[in-house]
Amino acid sequence: MHVESDLRAAPNDLLPVAQYVRMSTEHQKYSTDNQSQVIAAYAELHKMQVVRTYMDAGKSGLNLRGRPGLQQLLDDVCAPHPGFSAVLVYDISRWGRFPDPDEAAVYEQTCKRRGIRIIYCAEQFKNDGSLSSTVMVGLKRSMAAEYSRELSVKVFAGHRNLVQRGYRQGGAPGFGLRRQLVDEHHNIKGQLTRGEKKSIQTDRVFLVPGPQAEVATVHQIYRLFLEDAKPERVIASELNRQGLKTDLGRPWTRGTVHQVLTNEKYIGNNVYNRTSFKLKIEHKQNPPSEWIRKDGAFEAIVRPDLFWQVQAIIAQRSRHLDDDEMLALLRRVLERHGGLSGVLIDEEDGLPSSSSYRSRFGSLYRAYDLVGFQPRRDCAYLEINRALRRYHPTVMQRVAQGISDVGGYARSNKDTDLLTVNEEFTVSVVVARCKPTPAGKFRWLIRLDASLEPDITIVTRMDQSNRDPFDFYVLPSLDFAASQLPEREANGLSLDFYRVDALDDFYALCARTAYAEAA
């Protein structure tokens, strides 16, 4: 049970508090200076002293990502001694306009669980946990979320209108093109350089041909693709041999060449909403029926007939292949080279990538088996090890979250992957691969880094499929040796004493309780 710190200071004392301020691009009343002034007045009136400031200037309130100020605040709150007893915020919308109001509640509850209240200084009610304040907070959070949704609809409608009038909406112009700035009467004001933005709201941007040398390179790319039938990877190599760079000053790649060959801006078409990230919830590839377009909006630097010839070739090449077609292509590569590998597959033009084969057939070695290729040695374990390496951060996060849920604090060391719990002891989390024996028994391969010297090692033993945990061993360094590891189903009482089906008891040992400080 957690005891919330008493926020009532003695008459001659100043209660240490933090302030959190955030401004996106809305209006001046929400400037960080204005917020700080209101917070300072509130602090003075209630005998508080702002000892720390967390700020997110120019940051959207839609989610936690991209808000280092709020992230640092939450990290400090979870530390054993944050140094303040409450957080002052201008109003509920400054805490965030999360599309899901429950997300705002989760972050506030994280603070309250540590005995640190969130106080909204400009709201007309006290955030004191009473029924009336709880109802008002929930209502205000929902209003903030609805504001975000309504604003998103209005912004999208404005962008759609401008695109259909032929104006460019965001993004780099691309190789061979430049951004031309015009005023509201369409008078040319000059070209924008890389990273430069328009400063007047009524100004508009459209695309114009770039330097002649870049335009010539675009023509060369189309000529190499259509006349010489060279794929994108070969074209990139040719451009790099000539010492040519992309518009970002980087070497050419298959992807950058492909972009030049497939973007309609090179024939003057203004296309918008190919992808969307509404309310910053999910990146989404939109179908062509949802694209917003204005054909002939800009001066073309590629002939439309050449562009559409390229699209027809690419469409035929990238049509969906069923399993039999994918395996037939792989079989031809095997016959040509006498062997298969991930690198060989990725370098083969006209063949799906090795990741596509992994996704379709479960693993590369399953695809190899289906086309009759047997590697010189059984390398299936490589696929499992690769999957377990990807799984390890998930286990680490679950352990850290479990400690946090009971009131503890876990800090991860990026160099060693050790967790420091409550600034008191260290924990190493190990994921062990299961390897069934020919007799049907289970064995686990456990590798420890003895140089880390953790106080506790948590061994997560995977099940037969190596997809889910089978059990756990919580091993204190004082009571086990690396030469005696739980590699079998039964390992004797000295080891199995530390075996558990879940980590709840370990989390309970990490729990901490906040107590009110004595006056």
Side-chain angles (χ1 to χ4, degrees):
M1 180 177 179
H2 303 283
V3 181
E4 189 172 286
S5 298
D6 190 355
L7 296 185
R8 294 172 296 178
N12 297 324
D13 292 337
L14 293 179
L15 187 72
V17 297
Q19 66 172 339
Y20 174 73
V21 294
R22 179 187 68 82
M23 180 181 70
S24 54
T25 54
E26 296 171 39
H27 10 92
Q28 186 62 28
K29 78 169 185 176
Y30 280 136
S31 73
T32 54
D33 287 341
N34 286 347
Q35 293 175 56
S36 293
Q37 289 176 12
V38 172
I39 290 172
Y42 184 97
E44 182 179 4
L45 180 63
H46 293 82
K47 299 185 183 303
M48 299 174 177
Q49 181 180 5
V50 176
V51 297
R52 195 169 303 174
T53 297
Y54 299 90
M55 180 184 300
D56 284 319
K59 302 297 183 181
S60 167
L62 291 172
N63 56 39
L64 188 61
R65 294 190 303 272
R67 293 169 67 181
L70 183 55
Q71 292 178 30
Q72 187 61 55
L73 167 61
L74 295 173
D75 285 345
D76 290 350
V77 162
C78 292
H81 305 291
F84 50 86
S85 302
V87 179
L88 305 186
V89 187
Y90 178 80
D91 66 10
I92 288 177
S93 72
R94 297 307 88 200
W95 187 247
R97 297 188 185 277
F98 300 99
D100 182 355
D102 289 343
E103 186 173 356
V106 167
Y107 301 139
E108 182 173 336
Q109 182 62 27
T110 298
C111 298
K112 292 174 69 176
R113 194 164 53 230
R114 305 287 174 171
I116 296 176
R117 284 179 54 198
I118 305 299
I119 300 174
Y120 302 112
C121 302
E123 299 290 2
Q124 300 303 310
F125 57 88
K126 293 182 179 180
N127 189 20
D128 56 6
S130 63
L131 176 61
S132 59
S133 72
T134 300
V135 171
M136 288 302 300
V137 169
L139 179 60
K140 288 273 190 171
R141 285 178 185 149
S142 298
M143 291 171 61
E146 184 60 26
Y147 174 86
S148 296
R149 284 188 282 269
E150 291 178 354
L151 182 62
S152 175
V153 172
K154 293 176 182 178
V155 169
F156 182 77
H159 286 176
R160 177 176 57 194
N161 177 55
L162 292 175
V163 168
Q164 291 174 337
R165 292 170 59 189
Y167 296 118
R168 173 79 170 175
Q169 289 301 297
F175 186 84
L177 297 166
R178 293 294 184 270
R179 294 177 299 156
Q180 182 73 63
L181 184 67
V182 297
D183 63 19
E184 58 184 322
H185 303 295
H186 220 263
N187 297 316
I188 294 176
K189 301 182 67 173
Q191 290 187 4
L192 296 174
T193 59
R194 184 192 309 168
E196 192 175 6
K197 299 179 180 179
K198 66 186 185 71
S199 57
I200 301 177
Q201 189 173 8
T202 55
D203 285 350
R204 299 289 176 251
V205 174
F206 62 93
L207 297 182
V208 296
Q212 188 57 43
E214 290 189 16
V215 174
T217 299
V218 172
H219 293 161
Q220 180 186 5
I221 290 172
Y222 276 79
R223 185 171 61 254
L224 290 171
F225 187 87
L226 288 173
E227 297 179 9
D228 298 347
K230 292 184 177 180
E232 291 95 319
R233 186 177 291 105
V234 175
I235 295 175
S237 298
E238 176 66 25
L239 297 178
N240 291 331
R241 278 196 297 269
Q242 297 176 26
L244 300 175
K245 302 292 185 181
T246 68
D247 53 315
L248 299 179
R250 300 170 182 169
W252 288 87
T253 65
R254 181 189 183 281
T256 52
V257 171
H258 187 78
Q259 199 276 337
V260 171
L261 289 169
T262 57
N263 200 306
E264 290 186 44
K265 63 188 176 185
Y266 289 100
I267 57 172
N269 292 348
N270 195 18
V271 182
Y272 179 71
N273 201 42
R274 291 182 177 180
T275 63
S276 58
F277 190 29
K278 291 183 178 179
L279 297 178
K280 297 191 176 182
I281 296 176
E282 178 185 9
H283 281 286
K284 177 184 174 184
Q285 294 284 342
N286 296 320
S289 60
E290 296 182 11
W291 295 359
I292 300 168
R293 60 189 310 121
K294 170 69 174 178
D295 294 343
F298 318 125
E299 180 182 348
I301 63 174
V302 173
R303 283 169 36 198
D305 61 318
L306 298 180
F307 178 85
W308 294 116
Q309 287 180 41
V310 170
Q311 307 322 301
I313 295 172
I314 292 177
Q316 177 61 27
R317 184 184 66 188
S318 61
R319 68 185 180 87
H320 179 74
L321 301 175
D322 60 28
D323 291 358
D324 291 338
E325 290 173 318
M326 288 183 68
L327 293 174
L329 291 173
L330 191 62
R331 196 172 288 110
R332 283 202 287 269
V333 175
L334 173 61
E335 293 171 355
R336 187 181 311 121
H337 296 282
L340 293 172
S341 71
V343 173
L344 182 63
I345 291 172
D346 288 335
E347 291 297 322
E348 192 75 16
D349 289 318
L351 191 70
S353 66
S354 60
S355 61
S356 297
Y357 280 99
R358 286 192 187 95
S359 175
R360 183 71 66 88
F361 299 103
S363 73
L364 274 181
Y365 298 98
R366 170 63 175 160
Y368 291 168
D369 184 61
L370 291 173
V371 298
F373 173 62
Q374 295 295 329
R376 292 183 179 178
R377 61 192 182 103
D378 182 10
C379 298
Y381 73 92
L382 294 175
E383 291 284 330
I384 297 174
N385 287 348
R386 185 181 293 113
L388 293 183
R389 283 195 295 271
R390 293 194 299 266
Y391 181 66
H392 183 263
T394 300
V395 180
M396 292 276 292
Q397 184 178 7
R398 288 177 181 173
V399 172
Q401 185 62 49
I403 295 171
S404 176
D405 287 345
V406 299
Y409 170 68
R411 173 172 55 83
S412 176
N413 186 312
K414 295 181 180 179
D415 296 326
T416 64
D417 270 346
L418 287 180
L419 291 175
T420 300
V421 180
N422 300 326
E423 303 298 335
E424 296 172 350
F425 61 92
T426 57
V427 176
S428 173
V429 180
V430 177
V431 178
R433 175 167 65 92
C434 181
K435 182 182 180 182
T437 68
K441 301 290 186 180
F442 291 167
R443 295 292 183 268
W444 283 270
L445 302 177
I446 303 173
R447 299 288 184 267
L448 303 181
D449 188 343
S451 65
L452 297 179
E453 299 182 348
D455 298 306
I456 293 177
T457 298
I458 297 177
V459 177
T460 304
R461 303 201 308 181
M462 303 301 286
D463 64 10
Q464 184 178 6
S465 68
N466 282 299
R467 291 192 179 95
D468 299 299
F470 179 78
D471 60 14
F472 304 88
Y473 278 76
V474 182
L475 303 171
S477 61
L478 295 177
D479 207 25
F480 90 101
S483 59
Q484 296 178 327
L485 295 174
E487 297 174 336
R488 299 172 177 271
E489 294 180 63
N491 300 278
L493 182 60
S494 61
L495 277 177
D496 287 347
F497 179 79
Y498 298 106
R499 178 191 174 279
V500 293
D501 293 321
L503 294 175
D504 294 344
D505 290 340
F506 169 74
Y507 296 147
L509 292 173
C510 301
R512 289 295 178 269
T513 303
Y515 291 96
E517 186 174 318

